[in-house]
């Protein structure tokens, strides 16, 4: 059941709730704790670093280092409601023979003793190793890397992108392989956790029913982080993360829940979910951004080679048209004002795409952008309303904008649909001769959907009906990209099974985009 509140009601509630939550939450806490007193724990008999270490959002001179202290350990030490001092050390070698930087920060109790150190003054394009300390206990070691300086003409960059890791559906074996590759950057496109169970061949289990409270979301992240392979992948490289729907609620749209929640309830839930996301991710969060609104769209620059415009296609979108799912078009669907990005993010994106001077412009986002032509038994066109197909006017505007402002080499990265695809992004998907203005690389899930298979009837049909889609594969895995000024080369890496551990990894297929030639070619 969908709520029938009007959008104006949502806005009012949203404003009130934001004020209330900002007042009660950790806003004051973060700023005072950052320079104020935090308890120094000295002697610990148990490891507080059970969630591992991570880093993210590298710039030429900084990177966010992350850890989060085990809440059982903090409670046992009587520090459950106190800020705790956490120290970090950085070195250029994994044996820490010379420590080039040390620091201390407060891990606030209000944020579950999560520690985010935004370390500045580092050298560009350099590998660093880091570790954390609380009292007499030292964490495992993380490897990270700063971005090349903005003006540098770096010759090569290696990144991986991944999404969708339903814990119950299988093991995160793909992450074990990813960790071994020690990428320059790992991009996560969302569905890092799932808010509920689904499917029937479950190999391990979430606790409890669908999650809603802050404690629920924290417990869920704890469960996902209990997997050693995901911890290894975090420790192997800096990550740039964005969320999809399941970090909050399946197919939520702005403040509209999937099922039985009012917008006010969903906004409270969103505040819980967003706070937990921040607590568990190596991401910068300017003070004042807690609450039901948390802008995470942002740019990351990697020399002259690449600009990343990281998008959020959930928080600001209008509700899925025509009742969601694959549907015939209806009047709502035809409303040209409907948005996925929301006005502020859209303006920010369009401005960035018009002014960028990077060779490659990468849009990490969630939902399939290319049109998916599919028909019902009567031969009528069905539209997947949750994808960009559900917002065809804004998609058209974006594709025409890429063309009009001549954005250099746009590459769209997509998760969400648990399969590997590649697609040409065209001004008119229904016209074979229409201009190709960009390339879409869609990555499969880490685990969602279980073992998977190379081809399905669904995939076969889509390839037949959509000549701009050039590849379909429904194994699990990730995409490894090697980027040079001339070539975007994407190796689709797959594992043959995930319901048991130990699967090998192999390259199923390689696709490339040449600089100056938008679209996909076989590599
Ligand atoms: Fe998913
Ligand atoms: Ca999704």
């Amino acid at each position: 059941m969908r709520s029938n509140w009007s959008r104006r009601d949502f806005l009012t509630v949203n404003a009130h709730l934001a004020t209330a939550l900002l007042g009660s939450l950790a806003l004051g806490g973060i700023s005072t704790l950052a320079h104020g007193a935090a308890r120094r724990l000295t002697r610990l008999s148990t490891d507080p670093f059970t969630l591992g270490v991570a880093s993210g959002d590298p710039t030429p001179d900084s990177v966010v280092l992350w850890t989060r202290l085990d809440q059982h350990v903090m409670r046992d030490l009587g520090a459950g409601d106190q800020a705790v001092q956490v120290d970090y050390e950085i070195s250029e070698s994994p044996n820490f023979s010379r420590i080039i930087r040390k620091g201390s920060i407060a891990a606030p109790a209000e944020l579950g003793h999560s520690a985010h150190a935004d370390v500045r003054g580092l050298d560009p394009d350099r590998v660093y190793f880091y570790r954390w300390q609380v009292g007499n206990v030292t964490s495992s070691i993380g490897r990270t890397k700063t971005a090349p300086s903005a003006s540098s003409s770096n010759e090569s960059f290696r990144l991986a992108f991944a999404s969708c890791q339903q814990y119950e559906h299988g093991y995160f074996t793909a992450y074990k392989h990813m960790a071994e590759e020690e990428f320059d950057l790992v991009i996560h496109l969302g569905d890092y956790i799932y808010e509920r169970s689904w499917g029937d061949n479950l190999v391990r289990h979430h606790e409890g029913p669908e999650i809603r409270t802050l404690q629920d979301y924290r417990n869920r992240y704890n469960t996902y982080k209990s997997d050693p392979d995901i911890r290894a992948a975090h420790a192997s490289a800096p990550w740039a993360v964005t969320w999809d729907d399941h970090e909050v609620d399946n197919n939520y749209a702005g403040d509209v829940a999937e099922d039985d929640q009012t917008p006010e309830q969903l906004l409270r839930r969103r505040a819980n979910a967003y706070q937990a996301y921040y607590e568990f991710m190596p991401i910068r969060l300017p003070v004042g951004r807690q609450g039901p609104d948390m802008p995470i769209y942002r740019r990351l620059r990697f020399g002259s080679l690449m600009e990343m415009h990281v998008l959020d296609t959930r928080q600001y979108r209008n509700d899925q048209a025509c009742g969601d799912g694959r549907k015939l078009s209806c009047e709502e669907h035809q409303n040209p004002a409907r948005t996925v990005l929301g006005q502020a993010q859209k303006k920010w994106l369009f401005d960035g795409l018009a002014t960028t001077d990077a060779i490659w412009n990468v849009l990490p986002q969630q939902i399939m952008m290319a049109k998916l032509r599919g028909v019902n038994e009567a031969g009528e066109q069905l539209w997947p309303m949750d994808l960009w197909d559900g917002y065809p006017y804004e998609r058209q505007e974006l594709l025409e904008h890429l063309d009009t402002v001549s954005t250099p080499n746009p590459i769209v990265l997509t998760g969400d649909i648990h399969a590997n695809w590649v697609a040409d992004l065209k001004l008119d998907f229904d016209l074979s001769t229409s201009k190709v203005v960009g390339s879409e690389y869609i990555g499969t899930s880490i685990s969602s959907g279980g073992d998977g298979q190379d081809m399905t009837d669904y995939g076969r049909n889509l390839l037949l009906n959509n000549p701009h889609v050039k590849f379909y594969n429904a194994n699990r895995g990730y995409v490894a990209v090697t980027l040079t000024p001339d070539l975007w080369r994407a190796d689709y890496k797959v594992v043959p099974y995930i319901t048991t551990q130990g699967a090998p990894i192999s390259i199923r297929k390689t696709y490339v985009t040449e600089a100056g030639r938008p679209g996909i070619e076989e590599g």
Side-chain angles (χ1 to χ4, degrees):
M1 286 284 290
R2 296 253 156 197
S3 160
N4 51 14
W5 283 37
S6 76
R7 220 120 284 252
R8 196 169 303 131
D9 292 331
F10 302 169
L11 290 174
T12 314
V13 169
N14 203 345
H16 288 319
L17 200 63
T19 313
L21 286 162
L22 284 176
S24 66
L25 202 70
L27 176 59
I30 292 174
S31 51
T32 51
L33 289 169
H35 342 92
R39 183 166 157 198
R40 285 194 60 195
L41 300 171
T42 47
R43 296 184 66 81
L44 288 77
S45 52
T46 39
D47 181 9
F49 298 111
T50 51
L51 297 168
V53 301
S55 69
D57 281 8
T59 72
D61 79 329
S62 75
V63 65
V64 177
L65 305 182
W66 174 93
T67 192
R68 190 177 189 279
L69 305 180
D70 188 301
Q71 294 297 278
H72 297 292
V73 177
M74 290 302 105
R75 273 196 293 276
D76 290 348
L77 290 164
D81 55 359
Q82 297 170 330
V84 169
Q85 180 179 323
V86 193
D87 308 319
Y88 60 85
E89 292 179 331
I90 301 176
S91 178
E92 289 176 6
S93 63
N95 63 8
F96 286 76
S97 53
R98 198 170 72 88
I99 289 161
I100 60 123
R101 184 69 79 79
K102 281 173 171 240
S104 297
I105 60 163
E110 300 91 315
L111 296 177
H113 295 107
S114 56
H116 297 77
D118 187 0
V119 180
R120 308 276 167 140
L122 301 174
D123 290 333
D125 202 18
R126 183 156 306 188
V127 171
Y128 291 102
F129 299 88
Y130 60 94
R131 62 190 180 192
W132 296 89
Q133 278 157 350
V134 172
N136 56 324
V137 184
T138 303
S139 73
S140 55
I141 293 166
R143 172 194 174 274
T144 193
K145 193 176 182 187
T146 49
S149 68
S151 56
S152 84
S153 51
N154 43 320
E155 289 301 302
S156 170
F157 193 86
R158 291 196 70 237
L159 64 88
F161 66 95
S163 63
C164 294
Q165 48 206 37
Q166 221 286 4
Y167 178 83
E168 299 173 300
H169 289 185
Y171 295 98
F172 298 164
T173 312
Y175 276 137
K176 183 175 183 294
H177 296 290
M178 183 194 283
E180 286 164 9
E181 296 202 57
E182 298 194 333
F183 285 98
D184 296 324
L185 184 75
V186 172
I187 302 170
H188 198 281
L189 301 172
D191 289 357
Y192 190 101
I193 57 161
Y194 280 77
E195 84 287 11
R196 63 180 162 88
S197 299
W198 50 278
D200 41 39
N201 185 23
L202 307 182
V203 302
R204 45 190 186 175
H205 294 279
H206 292 155
E207 273 177 51
E210 188 162 331
I211 54 176
R212 296 190 172 181
T213 68
L214 176 58
Q215 197 53 49
D216 290 343
Y217 283 102
R218 285 171 167 169
N219 292 343
R220 188 55 49 87
Y221 282 97
N222 275 313
T223 299
Y224 280 59
K225 288 271 193 184
S226 71
D227 184 289
D229 294 336
I230 198 172
R231 294 201 306 273
H234 274 294
S236 74
W239 285 37
V241 299
T242 182
W243 52 39
D244 194 14
D245 51 336
H246 289 286
E247 281 86 352
V248 181
D249 179 31
N250 179 48
N251 283 16
Y252 83 99
D255 36 25
V256 184
E258 181 189 27
D259 33 42
D260 56 352
Q261 290 194 297
T262 65
E264 185 175 11
Q265 288 169 327
L266 186 78
L267 288 176
R268 287 192 181 282
R269 184 178 180 184
R270 228 172 72 174
N272 295 335
Y274 288 0
Q275 182 181 331
Y277 186 82
Y278 172 69
E279 289 179 8
F280 283 84
M281 293 295 147
I283 189 172
R284 281 188 191 85
L285 179 65
V287 168
R289 286 187 169 179
Q290 288 82 9
D293 303 310
M294 183 170 148
I296 66 164
Y297 60 86
R298 61 200 186 281
R299 282 193 187 94
L300 294 166
R301 170 96 187 194
F302 297 87
S304 58
L305 193 59
M306 171 171 64
E307 181 121 280
M308 272 177 41
H309 314 256
V310 183
L311 303 183
D312 171 357
T313 61
R314 296 290 174 184
Q315 186 174 184
Y316 311 106
R317 69 156 74 187
N318 293 132
D319 196 12
Q320 290 87 351
C322 323
D324 204 358
R326 290 175 74 233
K327 293 286 165 58
L328 297 172
S329 184
C330 66
E331 202 181 320
E332 187 186 7
H333 182 227
Q334 294 302 321
N335 178 356
R338 286 167 49 69
T339 183
V340 170
L341 299 170
Q343 291 317 307
Q345 180 177 210
K346 181 172 164 187
K347 182 178 187 319
W348 167 89
L349 175 63
F350 278 37
D351 287 351
L353 294 174
T355 54
T356 172
D357 60 356
I359 297 171
W360 298 92
N361 283 276
V362 179
L363 281 65
Q365 52 101 55
Q366 294 76 31
I367 51 172
M368 180 127 180
M369 190 174 283
K371 183 173 181 175
L372 279 179
R373 219 179 283 120
V375 293
N376 65 11
E377 282 166 6
E380 300 161 302
Q381 162 86 50
L382 293 174
W383 299 78
M385 294 296 176
D386 187 50
L387 310 186
W388 279 93
D389 262 334
Y391 306 79
Y393 290 90
E394 193 171 76
R395 171 176 62 195
Q396 194 62 31
E397 236 183 304
L398 174 54
L399 295 175
E400 284 175 15
H401 183 71
L402 291 173
D403 187 41
T404 308
V405 303
S406 303
T407 304
N409 300 306
I411 300 272
V412 172
L413 303 185
T414 302
D416 179 51
I417 46 179
H418 311 168
N420 288 314
W421 322 47
V422 293
D424 288 341
L425 294 173
K426 301 170 72 169
L427 288 180
D428 183 349
F429 290 101
D430 295 326
L431 189 62
S432 62
T433 55
S434 177
K435 187 173 181 181
V436 176
V437 296
S439 319
E440 182 171 16
Y441 288 83
I442 299 145
T444 189
S445 61
I446 290 287
S447 64
S448 303
D451 281 334
Q453 55 195 308
D454 187 52
M455 185 50 75
T456 63
D457 286 344
Y458 173 78
R460 221 171 270 119
N461 246 312
L462 279 161
L463 289 174
L464 274 177
N465 290 323
N466 295 275
H468 54 277
V469 176
K470 312 239 176 111
F471 174 51
Y472 179 92
N473 160 275
N475 288 122
R476 307 283 83 92
Y478 60 92
V479 185
V481 175
T482 305
L483 186 58
T484 67
D486 301 322
L487 194 71
W488 167 282
R489 175 196 158 102
D491 294 327
Y492 277 82
K493 298 207 164 182
V494 299
V495 287
Y497 53 86
I498 56 156
T499 53
T500 52
Q501 290 174 288
I505 194 131
S506 61
I507 297 176
R508 169 65 184 78
K509 194 85 182 167
T510 296
Y511 285 94
V512 302
T513 297
E514 287 173 42
R517 281 192 63 179
I520 311 273
E521 294 167 66
E522 286 198 29

